Amino acid sequence: MLHFELVTPARLVRSEDVYMVVVPGSEGEEGVLEGHAPYMTTMRNGALKIYRTENAAPEEIQVEGGFAELGRDGLTVLAEHVAEG
Amino acid sequence: MASLKELKGRINSVKSTQKITKAKQMVAAAKLRKAQAAAEAARPYAQRLAAVMASLASRVTVSESSPRLLAGTGSDQRHLLVVANSDKGLAGAFNANIVRAALAKAASLRAQGKTVKFYLIGRKGRPVIRRAYPNDIVKNFETMHVRQAGFTEAEQVAAELTAMYTDGEFDVAHLFYSKFRSALLQEPTEQQIIPVPAPTAAVEETTGGAVVEYEPDEETILADLLPRYLRIQLFGALLENAASEQGASMTAMDNATRNAGELINKLTIQYNRSRQAAITTELIEIIAGAEAL
């Protein structure tokens, strides 16, 4: 499982283990699974898609001013504004 | 000697003052808890961003072509002092301490022949700074209409500062606020915010030494993150300030309540003495009258 954290200046929105997260990177969408190579990217304003399990319907979170960092500890998305829908 | 009625009046008025200070102390204690929680909740984001910035900054060399927010304007002649105060008083020396730190800095910069301007956040610092530097206040940022200055306000301030910086109105910006150490101790702090000082926090090795892919390249990401870093610095300062204000207020009101208590005791003793004296005089008069018969 991929450890996923979504952080805004005001609070820690999510911290959980998920199957896959689709990140709207500034250079194109990228599906991040466990074991992905470390990378950093800025994000377009758009929806972050979170797949809890392989076949589950994705949960979408609108993110503005985002930045994604993928390291050993999992995926961390820093976002200035977040709208859960 | 004050009459009995006067003394009674004074005791009552001190008692009602004590009630007010006590209430304000309890309100501050409750608000402090909230402000501390908010400051704590903001920490993960700030830490992560600082770590990312530090690892990026170590890869990018600062040069002429670097973003101006990082590289500076090449001069340090014009300084902008951003002073964050509260809107309300009853917080002891909280605001005075911040303003004093800012004025000291302004004086030392002036002595070096630099120009100094002020950007004021919050209502309380204004009169003092206006008296000292009547023509150098660029802007008074209002925080009266919101209950608690938060990220929206930090964004607005950051946007204005960035715009002024891009227009070449100043070279260096310093931020003055009060760091929250404990309910008893708040530290007036000065921090340079523009040009953004590269975070020197120990680079957190989250990648395990593996090569990190940057998308787009490091410079672009850094340029993108700089304004965010500025915003989060301001936001952090506002939160620290809010917690400090409540802490200072709590301590000040605790002292005030205790002082009022002492004053009440003193006045009560004085009241009892005067009453006793009045009774004694009355008795002497009666006895003297009876003896005369």
Side-chain angles (χ1 to χ4, degrees):
Chain A
M1 293 302 265
L2 171 77
H3 186 66
F4 165 67
E5 282 191 357
L6 177 60
V7 192
T8 69
R11 68 202 170 98
L12 182 67
V13 182
R14 286 295 159 83
S15 177
E16 58 193 0
D17 287 327
V18 297
Y19 171 70
M20 178 172 83
V21 179
V22 176
V23 177
S26 50
E27 314 241 298
E29 297 213 336
E30 182 140 13
V32 177
L33 285 125
E34 191 192 3
H36 193 290
Y39 90 120
M40 288 186 193
T41 181
T42 48
M43 283 161 63
R44 278 185 288 112
N45 297 341
L48 203 63
K49 294 196 193 78
I50 301 157
Y51 295 79
R52 276 172 201 284
T53 55
E54 194 168 349
N55 297 315
E59 179 194 359
E60 293 199 0
I61 300 180
Q62 289 294 328
V63 169
E64 247 178 70
F67 175 81
E69 180 204 9
L70 183 64
R72 201 172 37 185
D73 307 337
L75 176 72
T76 309
V77 175
L78 303 176
E80 296 200 319
H81 298 283
V82 159
E84 291 180 65
Chain B
M1 191 80 150
S3 77
L4 284 183
K5 191 167 184 296
E6 263 172 43
L7 277 174
K8 212 170 199 172
R10 275 182 67 190
I11 291 173
N12 281 335
S13 98
V14 176
K15 266 186 186 158
S16 42
T17 310
Q18 190 187 28
K19 264 182 206 152
I20 294 169
T21 57
K22 191 153 202 177
K24 172 72 182 147
Q25 181 199 345
M26 290 197 288
V27 169
K31 282 191 177 167
L32 173 63
R33 227 164 297 145
K34 230 193 242 168
Q36 259 180 304
E40 226 135 86
R43 225 159 268 163
Y45 186 92
Q47 276 169 355
R48 290 281 183 169
L49 195 59
V52 170
M53 291 282 295
S55 73
L56 278 172
S58 65
R59 282 160 190 281
V60 177
T61 45
V62 177
S63 66
E64 290 287 300
S65 60
S66 299
R68 293 230 300 168
L69 270 177
L70 185 69
T73 54
S75 145
D76 67 338
Q77 189 52 41
R78 290 158 306 158
H79 289 252
L80 184 74
L81 305 188
V82 183
V83 186
N85 279 120
S86 68
D87 288 323
K88 291 180 189 127
L90 289 180
F94 167 74
N95 286 306
N97 283 341
I98 299 175
V99 169
R100 196 179 311 137
L103 288 179
K105 178 79 180 175
S108 88
L109 285 172
R110 281 263 159 112
Q112 294 167 35
K114 321 263 190 214
T115 38
V116 178
K117 300 264 180 211
F118 288 93
Y119 184 105
L120 305 181
I121 304 170
R123 205 165 58 91
K124 275 289 163 184
R126 282 181 209 166
V128 187
I129 293 178
R130 200 186 300 134
R131 213 174 305 133
Y133 298 94
N135 305 317
D136 297 323
I137 298 178
V138 183
K139 158 117 191 178
N140 293 313
F141 186 82
E142 279 293 340
T143 50
M144 276 301 272
H145 54 283
V146 283
R147 187 180 224 139
Q148 177 53 58
F151 193 63
T152 330
E153 283 69 41
E155 273 182 319
Q156 286 167 10
V157 173
E160 279 182 32
L161 289 181
T162 320
M164 282 166 65
Y165 184 64
T166 323
D167 292 347
E169 287 182 37
F170 64 89
D171 301 313
V172 184
H174 307 266
L175 175 64
F176 290 87
Y177 65 102
S178 194
K179 217 171 219 160
F180 182 80
R181 288 264 174 263
S182 73
L184 291 172
L185 184 65
Q186 300 86 31
E187 242 172 60
T189 308
E190 182 219 329
Q191 188 184 338
Q192 184 186 321
I193 47 171
I194 297 176
V196 176
T200 44
V203 180
E204 198 187 327
E205 266 309 324
T206 55
T207 53
V211 181
V212 183
E213 245 181 82
Y214 291 94
E215 211 176 286
D217 55 294
E218 288 97 320
E219 274 93 6
T220 322
I221 296 187
L222 190 60
D224 199 57
L225 289 189
L226 280 168
R228 287 185 209 177
Y229 190 65
L230 176 62
R231 284 197 280 271
I232 199 71
Q233 296 282 311
L234 283 165
F235 180 55
L238 289 179
L239 289 179
E240 291 271 340
N241 235 9
S244 297
E245 182 197 348
Q246 299 307 336
S249 172
M250 209 173 96
T251 324
M253 288 304 116
D254 186 41
N255 283 338
T257 310
R258 207 166 317 131
N259 287 344
E262 275 168 26
L263 193 54
I264 289 171
N265 284 343
K266 230 162 80 189
L267 284 173
T268 314
I269 288 173
Q270 203 186 336
Y271 174 77
N272 287 343
R273 282 220 183 106
S274 320
R275 195 175 63 104
Q276 198 59 57
I279 293 170
T280 313
T281 326
E282 216 168 289
L283 276 177
I284 289 171
E285 273 165 12
I286 293 171
I287 294 165
E291 272 176 1
L293 283 176

